[in-house]
Amino acid sequence: MNTAIKQIKGLCAPMMIDDIDTDIIIPAQYLTQTSKDGYGQYAFSRLKQADADFVLNQQKYQTAKILIAGDNFGCGSSREHAVWAIQELGFQAIIAPSFADIFSNNARKNGLVLIDQPLEICELLAAAAQQNDLIISIDLVNAVFKTDQQTFPFVINPFFQHCITEGQDELDYLCSHLSEIKAHHQNAKGQTIFLAGAGVAQ
Amino acid sequence: MKNNIVEKIWQQHVVHRQAGFPDVLRIDFALLHEVTSAQAFAMIERKNLSVQNPEHFLATIDHSIPTRKNRHEIYDKTAKNQIELLRKNCQNHGIPLCDLDSSHQGIVHVVGPELGITQPGMTLVCGDSHTATHGAFGSLAFGIGTSTLAHVFAAGAILMKQPKVMRVHFNGQLPANTYAKDMIMYLIAQIGIGGATGHVIEYTGEAVTALSMEQRMTLCNMSIECGAIAGLVAPDETTFAYIKDRPYAPKGQQWETAKSYWQSLSSDAGCRYDQTIELDITDLQPQVSWGTNPEQSIAINQVIPFSNKTKESLDYVKLKSAQSIAGLTIDWAFVGSCTNGRIEDLRVVADILAGHKIAKQVTMYIVPGSEQVMHQAQKEGLDTIFTEAGAEFRMPGCSMCLGMNDDKVPPGSRCISSTNRNFIGRQGTGSITHLASPATVAFSALAGFITSSYAEQQPQKEAS
């Protein structure tokens, strides 16, 4: 079991850049580590170095828990390190117009909440987060998030909702089907799977 | 019921389906490498779980190893530790490993097909976004994260929602001096880097069928660069001929059974797709990227487009809109990677370089995709052609594609590269990348500026 999370509440940081790729989130040179932690210090390092005013360099956003981002966030490589790095910065949720597929899968498996919202809403939230301290409260059970003025519904994957709000571990769920999976593999051998030399070629 | 190839493969692999839940999808094979596997082993060990069917896994070392001759000496301590941990993990869990002394070491997406592991109709995964390469064989192959790899280890299955399917149909035939690389770069430029998010692409059309397996792998390899989960091509005689007699390929009666199953996988006439895109490639020109993502690409005879959204990209690559891409002076040229590091790519490059010298200011690395590719190149004398032209022919690995080892483009230097991503700093901090086909890389290396022919024109003057 994982820790059940039903609500996330925190300060928002605006990063309205489209197509933030995983090389930007965590450059490949830092991927030789074999642990799941230690990546936060390198997260977004290229943007941090290039621009002193970059959102994550600003003191006021150091405690932010929710990132407001641009379209196609997390495109590029499959590195889960990108999710680990973002979580280590203290972020628990990202609101953006869209996310890349592998990044979404990786986020889900680590309990990082991704919320799709139309571009206009993301821009509105980002502007608000830039002007004042924007606090958002995300209700995962009812799939809505609130600012102090407005409530926004969002679409949540029902399985992810179940896992995060109940503390269900995905791997435990998958393993509950292990005997069915094993039988399925067995039946496929020689029928649809033809790996003759499996295990011998090196 | 008429089904497309993705639906057929999916139906064969669904173990359990429950409304509102992702499908439990059987995974037939997983490839692994040093960078994204360590934490997955740790995850299953923490839960006291073991690897199911270890013979349905294969590991190789490719991302962070040096490509110099004495590559056994790894100076980077953390990289060395990561490789040693892979060795230990493979040994502990009974997973075969193509180590540095194996004749099958190489880039994971070059090695799988070479061994005959990649077969039509299978589900194949790897902790690497370019896993779609294997779709060239009509397999459903896609990149996964480390947690998902742990799922495959422990269960031989993953949790996944059935993807939408996009048909990309190429009309016309591929013109001379253009390649699968130009086809896929053209597609990405047309639909954008998020254009196929949520979809698996099936590539169809006469030009696709006419491609060799190596070229189909290049085509499928870059599917992720337009956001696709995977990309594939229906298997045919070209596919079967490539697989036959490779180590993992079925033999004897099994070969016939396999072949008739594989033939049944093609999309049914009149089947449904969630989306169809048609592209005419009759007049396709060699493609070159100009910006900081693969969608920012143009034909070599075009100028950089104007857009108010590309200022940061243009600042980074030190270019301006309305500027030509042809004639741009380069410092580096790279041939290699899972996109274009196969024997056919090296032959194309050797044909162009033979009897010529690369430009003085250019450093050119040619890195074979695997030991097998390297030995074949040596057997054909390609290595001599490369060296005589002034290029360096190095040891197999991912090398300068992602700058995880010592092979880096220095800050501010401009590189024409046969790889797949031109992201900011991808080939090293401050590096500037122009993606192109191996042929365009070779011509440019000779000229010292971006060109797709033996140059008659002059390089551009330095941008003021």
Side-chain angles (χ1 to χ4, degrees), chain A residues 18 23 31-32 35 46 76-78 80 101 106 109 159 172-174 177 181-182 184-185 188 193 196 198-199 202, chain B residues 12 21 26-28 39 47 52 78 82 97 127-128 145-147 155-157 198 248-249 309 421 424-426:
Chain A
D18 287 345
D23 279 72
L31 304 186
T32 50
S35 64
R46 285 183 184 137
S77 98
S78 64
E80 200 160 314
D101 287 315
N106 291 343
K109 293 198 163 46
F159 180 65
D172 292 345
Y173 168 78
L174 185 60
H177 292 285
I181 298 167
K182 279 182 176 174
H184 212 268
H185 272 281
I193 287 303
Q202 275 191 57
Chain B
Q12 284 290 344
F21 280 51
R26 191 185 89 223
I27 298 300
D28 297 321
Q39 296 88 345
K47 282 179 176 278
Q52 299 289 323
T78 52
Q82 191 174 50
L97 167 69
D128 189 286
T146 300
S147 296
Y248 278 71
K309 287 181 80 180
R421 283 186 182 138
I424 290 174
R426 171 81 177 180

Side-chain angles (χ1 to χ4, degrees), chain A residues 81-97:
Chain A
H81 312 67
V83 171
W84 301 330
I86 288 171
Q87 287 183 310
E88 212 170 294
L89 291 180
F91 290 105
Q92 297 174 18
I94 307 175
I95 303 175

Side-chain angles (χ1 to χ4, degrees), chain B residues 75-91:
Chain B
Y75 307 138
D76 180 334
K77 262 195 194 156
T78 52
K80 188 174 179 215
N81 171 54
Q82 191 174 50
I83 287 164
E84 279 167 3
L85 187 56
L86 179 69
R87 287 178 181 138
K88 198 178 109 202
N89 281 329
C90 286
Q91 195 166 20

Side-chain angles (χ1 to χ4, degrees), chain A residues 1 18-19 21-24 28-36 39 46-47 49 72 75-81 84 99-102 105-106 108-110 157-159 162 169-175 177-178 180-182 184-185 188-202, chain B residues 12-16 18 20-22 24 26-29 35 38-39 43 47 49 52 55 78-79 82 85 96-97 102 115 117 119 127-129 143-148 151 154-157 159 193-194 197-198 224 227 229 247-250 254 258 261-262 309 402 404 421 423-426 429:
Chain A
M1 290 295 277
D18 287 345
D19 307 314
D21 62 69
T22 50
D23 279 72
I24 285 291
Q29 69 210 73
Y30 303 115
L31 304 186
T32 50
Q33 305 285 343
T34 54
S35 64
K36 281 171 83 166
Y39 304 102
R46 285 183 184 137
L47 295 179
Q49 284 157 14
N72 196 30
C75 62
S77 98
S78 64
R79 62 190 71 160
E80 200 160 314
H81 312 67
W84 301 330
F99 299 91
D101 287 315
I102 310 178
N105 288 333
N106 291 343
R108 207 153 50 219
K109 293 198 163 46
N110 289 277
N157 173 310
F159 180 65
H162 164 73
D169 181 277
E170 280 199 19
L171 181 53
D172 292 345
Y173 168 78
L174 185 60
C175 285
H177 292 285
L178 199 54
E180 267 175 280
I181 298 167
K182 279 182 176 174
H184 212 268
H185 272 281
K189 273 184 191 162
Q191 301 298 314
T192 57
I193 287 303
F194 308 95
L195 287 163
V200 297
Q202 275 191 57
Chain B
Q12 284 290 344
H13 289 83
V14 174
V15 176
H16 181 85
Q18 191 176 336
F21 280 51
V24 174
R26 191 185 89 223
I27 298 300
D28 297 321
F29 207 95
V35 179
Q39 296 88 345
M43 284 177 213
K47 282 179 176 278
L49 298 167
Q52 299 289 323
E55 72 277 14
T78 52
Q82 191 174 50
L85 187 56
L97 167 69
S102 157
L115 283 168
I117 287 170
Q119 295 176 15
D128 189 286
S129 62
I144 55 170
T146 300
S147 296
T148 312
H151 290 197
L159 295 165
I193 57 170
T197 301
I224 181 75
I229 295 166
Y248 278 71
Q254 277 283 291
Y261 171 64
W262 296 343
K309 287 181 80 180
L402 82 168
M404 268 199 79
R421 283 186 182 138
F423 291 158
I424 290 174
R426 171 81 177 180
T429 304

Side-chain angles (χ1 to χ4, degrees), chain A residues 25-193:
Chain A
I25 301 172
I26 182 81
Q29 69 210 73
Y30 303 115
L31 304 186
T32 50
Q33 305 285 343
T34 54
S35 64
K36 281 171 83 166
D37 38 45
Y39 304 102
Q41 56 186 315
Y42 309 118
F44 300 97
S45 53
R46 285 183 184 137
L47 295 179
K48 280 182 175 173
Q49 284 157 14
D51 177 10
D53 292 331
F54 177 62
V55 55
L56 300 180
N57 283 337
Q58 296 179 37
Q59 197 53 43
K60 68 180 271 202
Y61 298 117
Q62 296 308 307
T63 57
K65 284 186 185 168
I66 299 164
L67 189 65
I68 314 292
D71 200 19
N72 196 30
F73 188 91
C75 62
S77 98
S78 64
R79 62 190 71 160
E80 200 160 314
H81 312 67
V83 171
W84 301 330
I86 288 171
Q87 287 183 310
E88 212 170 294
L89 291 180
F91 290 105
Q92 297 174 18
I94 307 175
I95 303 175
S98 74
F99 299 91
D101 287 315
I102 310 178
F103 181 82
S104 302
N105 288 333
N106 291 343
R108 207 153 50 219
K109 293 198 163 46
N110 289 277
L112 177 67
V113 175
L114 306 183
I115 298 177
D116 287 58
Q117 287 291 294
L119 179 63
E120 310 83 74
I121 292 179
C122 294
E123 280 173 342
L124 198 79
L125 296 172
Q130 214 141 31
Q131 280 155 14
N132 301 302
D133 286 354
L134 175 69
I135 308 282
I136 280 182
S137 166
I138 302 168
D139 175 349
L140 293 163
V141 177
N142 296 301
V144 290
F145 68 86
K146 295 172 186 169
T147 66
D148 58 3
Q149 291 168 354
Q150 263 182 297
T151 299
F152 302 85
F154 63 91
V155 178
I156 190 165
N157 173 310
F159 180 65
F160 175 65
Q161 185 179 38
H162 164 73
C163 288
I164 194 159
T165 58
E166 303 295 328
Q168 166 76 57
D169 181 277
E170 280 199 19
L171 181 53
D172 292 345
Y173 168 78
L174 185 60
C175 285
S176 71
H177 292 285
L178 199 54
S179 54
E180 267 175 280
I181 298 167
K182 279 182 176 174
H184 212 268
H185 272 281
Q186 203 51 44
N187 292 339
K189 273 184 191 162
Q191 301 298 314
T192 57
I193 287 303

